[in-house]
Amino acid sequence: AQKVTQAQTEISVVEKEDVTLDCVYETRDTTYYLFWYKQPPSGELVFLIRRNSFDEQNEISGRYSWNFQKSTSSFNFTITASQVVDSAVYFCALSPTGANSKLTFGKGITLSVRP
Amino acid sequence: ETGVTQSPTHLIKTRGQQVTLRCSSQSGHNTVSWYQQALGQGPQFIFQYYREEENGRGNFPPRFSGLQFPNYSSELNVNALELDDSALYLCASSFTGRGEQFFGPGTRLTVL
């Protein structure tokens, strides 16, 4: 069975602060995908990143960066110099790499960025 | 490129009724997945359709059923609605094997 744990439920920061969202996962699959999605108040899930389990290189995209550590089963997401528009619920998710790409989500982290 | 669309946006039903939700997949995608998101929770996988066949199912009862059409659009049907079925229903499309799923805006279902 697959499981994703997002232990933080709510985080509040002041604009321009850096913030890290934690994600820990469990799976028996030898290969898998990890994802982060953003859900703004409108409700639509916005795809941010997909990481394959065999690629442990960290990734940076603008103010966003992701730290994948297979040894600790973690896939953490850092927002640098946060902005008010970053306020949303952030979900970490896991899926097998086979044809059935069922996503298993964590419970989400509500991020509030105050001006 | 057209993204994933869902209809209707909102729906109010009473307990025991039946409901049909619709989803049009993103251009070029052949797989559609449905998720239920209760308030304050992460989305839960209902089922997935590929080539008009169910290709995996989550822990949902048989009164949740679906269809996929030749143009890859899909329907989610829920019979005998219960109060706990109140949730945001999300449709996601993908190209099999690629991993990324792209979500529609969802249908907010309220069961009274």
Side-chain angles (χ1 to χ4, degrees):
Chain A
Q2 302 196 324
K3 184 179 179 182
V4 175
T5 301
Q6 296 181 261
Q8 304 152 311
T9 53
E10 294 185 21
I11 300 176
S12 181
V13 299
V14 176
E15 208 169 18
K16 297 184 184 177
E17 282 186 28
D18 298 347
V19 58
T20 296
L21 311 181
D22 298 334
C23 173
V24 173
Y25 63 92
E26 296 175 31
T27 181
R28 293 179 183 171
D29 294 333
T30 52
T31 61
Y32 46 90
Y33 291 127
L34 293 162
F35 302 82
W36 277 94
Y37 283 88
K38 173 182 179 180
Q39 188 173 43
S42 61
E44 183 169 346
L45 280 167
V46 178
F47 169 80
L48 295 179
I49 189 171
R50 181 194 75 173
R51 174 59 92 215
N52 194 308
S53 56
F54 61 71
D55 181 2
E56 289 195 65
Q57 279 195 340
N58 291 329
E59 182 158 341
I60 298 174
S61 176
R63 296 185 296 108
Y64 296 169
S65 62
W66 290 269
N67 183 348
F68 174 33
Q69 294 200 351
K70 209 167 180 179
S71 60
T72 56
S73 298
S74 66
F75 185 44
N76 297 336
F77 173 29
T78 297
I79 302 174
T80 302
S82 60
Q83 299 176 2
V84 173
V85 292
D86 295 328
S87 296
V89 182
Y90 289 86
F91 290 96
C92 180
L94 170 68
S95 83
T97 55
N100 181 350
S101 52
K102 161 193 169 182
L103 286 166
T104 299
F105 285 86
K107 291 189 175 182
I109 302 169
T110 300
L111 174 64
S112 298
V113 181
R114 309 186 307 274
Chain B
E1 184 178 273
T2 306
V4 180
T5 60
Q6 292 186 243
S7 63
T9 306
H10 295 87
L11 205 49
I12 299 174
K13 292 284 188 179
T14 56
R15 200 169 48 179
Q17 285 189 310
Q18 178 265 342
V19 68
T20 297
L21 310 182
R22 295 179 174 82
C23 170
S24 292
S25 60
Q26 184 167 313
S27 176
H29 288 178
N30 58 10
T31 302
V32 173
S33 304
W34 286 91
Y35 294 82
Q36 181 196 65
Q37 186 179 15
L39 202 60
Q41 301 295 315
Q44 298 289 316
F45 175 74
I46 302 175
F47 43 55
Q48 182 181 88
Y49 278 83
Y50 170 63
R51 289 186 175 178
E52 303 176 53
E53 296 284 334
E54 190 178 286
N55 181 42
R57 187 179 183 91
N59 189 24
F60 281 81
R63 60 189 184 84
F64 285 78
S65 63
L67 285 172
Q68 186 182 32
F69 300 100
N71 66 355
Y72 304 125
S73 66
S74 177
E75 286 183 356
L76 164 65
N77 299 290
V78 187
N79 293 322
L81 283 166
E82 300 177 359
L83 297 180
D84 285 349
D85 295 334
S86 295
L88 180 67
Y89 287 84
L90 294 161
C91 167
S93 75
S94 58
F95 189 80
T96 300
R98 288 293 305 275
E100 301 101 353
Q101 293 186 25
F102 295 90
F103 284 80
T107 294
R108 174 76 62 187
L109 173 65
T110 302
V111 182
L112 303 175

